[in-house]
Amino acid sequence: MTTLYLCAAGNPEAVRLALAVNEAHRHWDRIVLLDDDPDKLGYEIMGVVVEGPFGTLANHSDGDEVVNLVARSTKGRDGARAKIESFGIPFASLVHPSVDLRGATLGRAVTIYAGCTVSALSTVGDHSVIFTQAVLGHGASLGHGAVLAPEAVVNARVQVDDRAYIGTNAA
């Protein structure tokens, strides 16, 4: 039985994304949430339950994968990534099945939500996130660990630095 661990229980859209990806291409037998806030233990989002803290990853099995959902700040996201990596579990990418990626280059462990435009010749760096309705224009580059918030637009050929956070509706 393979498990997808979603680390951080503050983003119901990410749970919906994981469910959509798994429905389109069955990757995991089960999906669970992990969160270091003990008050969230047992909390449920769309049928996915918080089963424990990030330390639960120490007991992962072969074939299990993890997604870092921390995205409020790139510093916090980077810290969570380092903590998760210490457990030796592979990271998965979550890309909504409706997103057209033809001609784009994706790094590893990226998260791309429904309704995004990832244009031809654009590049998405490792561990980056593109939220709902955001646009990465043709030839643009999103650095490693960067976040493109909902409805933000990075125009053609713009280079976004590593760990940058482009806010909602920014253009």
Side-chain angles (χ1 to χ4, degrees):
M1 175 180 282
T2 59
T3 301
L4 175 65
Y5 294 99
L6 302 175
C7 289
N11 184 350
E13 283 302 312
V15 174
R16 183 158 65 168
L17 173 61
L19 292 171
V21 168
N22 206 39
E23 287 168 7
H25 307 284
R26 184 78 174 176
H27 293 288
W28 310 283
D29 298 308
R30 68 188 199 114
I31 298 173
V32 300
L33 282 159
L34 300 178
D35 200 290
D36 284 344
D37 180 350
D39 291 337
K40 291 186 179 176
L41 186 63
Y43 179 70
E44 182 178 317
I45 300 173
M46 296 172 41
V48 179
V49 177
V50 176
E51 293 190 3
F54 287 13
T56 303
L57 295 171
N59 302 319
H60 75 275
S61 300
D62 287 342
D64 292 348
E65 295 179 294
V66 66
V67 173
N68 178 10
L69 300 182
V70 175
R72 184 167 289 147
S73 75
T74 55
K75 182 178 179 181
R77 181 171 175 72
D78 203 39
R81 180 201 44 78
K83 184 174 186 177
I84 294 164
E85 280 181 338
S86 74
F87 296 105
I89 184 171
F91 284 87
S93 286
L94 287 180
V95 178
H96 194 276
S98 67
V99 177
D100 183 355
L101 297 171
R102 285 176 285 190
T105 302
L106 299 185
R108 58 185 194 87
V110 300
T111 303
I112 303 175
Y113 289 79
C116 293
T117 299
V118 180
S119 299
L121 303 178
S122 63
T123 302
V124 180
D126 296 345
H127 298 280
S128 291
V129 179
I130 302 176
F131 279 102
T132 305
Q133 303 299 321
V135 175
L136 187 63
H138 69 274
S141 178
L142 190 61
H144 300 287
V147 174
L148 194 55
E151 298 187 12
V153 175
V154 173
N155 286 321
R157 295 176 296 282
V158 170
Q159 306 296 305
V160 176
D161 287 340
D162 293 347
R163 291 181 260 320
Y165 192 104
I166 308 297
T168 299
N169 295 321

